[in-house]
Amino acid sequence: MNYMDIWFFDRRPRMKVFFCYLLIFVFFFIFSDIMIYNYTKALYQPMTSYEVNVKSLEVAVQTAEASSVNGNVKGTIKNTSEEVIHNQYLKFDFYTPRDINVGTKYIEVDKFYPGEQKNYELGFRYDNVSHVKISMVDKE
């Protein structure tokens, strides 16, 4: 019988040490993944106030969260009017707790048919954002 025939049943200490190191590596990898995930989730605070000023579309915000340097807004858009919407933009104005506009982002809404629903996700990199105002505009 050849050594390569039963290499995985080898009982020598070298293989035991190798498997111990492999087990320690896998444990450390899983532990660090869990800790990094929990740390990044703790950085983001939900934005409790947001204002939607859109009449022809139904804009729903599922998640609005911000950290000290960036954040994101996620939700759905539904066309509740009876006409097709062309060349319109959703305007997102981001404000600090003192109502200072720190930035504006746009999402294009083009060829949006009646009854159609789409998901949106918008990321931003503004400091100290506490709330967002959403409106509809013709130009970016």
Side-chain angles (χ1 to χ4, degrees), residues 27-92:
F27 175 74
F28 182 72
F29 181 77
I30 292 171
F31 176 75
S32 63
D33 249 6
I34 291 170
M35 294 307 289
I36 290 169
Y37 174 78
N38 288 334
Y39 177 71
T40 54
K41 282 305 241 184
L43 287 177
Y44 287 95
Q45 301 298 322
M47 284 190 271
T48 55
S49 89
Y50 46 86
E51 184 179 326
V52 179
N53 297 325
V54 179
K55 298 201 183 345
S56 61
L57 294 175
E58 181 180 314
V59 179
V61 177
Q62 273 83 32
T63 305
E65 56 189 7
S67 70
S68 61
V69 293
N70 61 10
N72 56 49
V73 179
K74 298 176 187 174
T76 58
I77 308 168
K78 184 174 183 180
N79 187 355
T80 55
S81 68
E82 296 297 323
E83 56 192 40
V84 178
I85 296 176
H86 291 287
N87 299 326
Q88 298 283 318
Y89 293 90
L90 279 179
K91 178 181 174 185
F92 292 81

Side-chain angles (χ1 to χ4, degrees), residues 6-22:
I6 55 168
W7 66 272
F8 52 89
F9 292 117
D10 191 8
R11 301 279 188 239
R12 290 186 273 186
R14 189 175 0 167
M15 290 303 287
K16 287 182 184 177
V17 169
F18 172 73
F19 285 128
C20 284
Y21 285 147
L22 180 66

Side-chain angles (χ1 to χ4, degrees), residues 96-108:
T96 65
R98 293 183 174 186
D99 287 334
I100 298 171
N101 187 348
V102 291
T104 302
K105 291 269 188 170
Y106 296 91
I107 293 179
E108 184 177 8

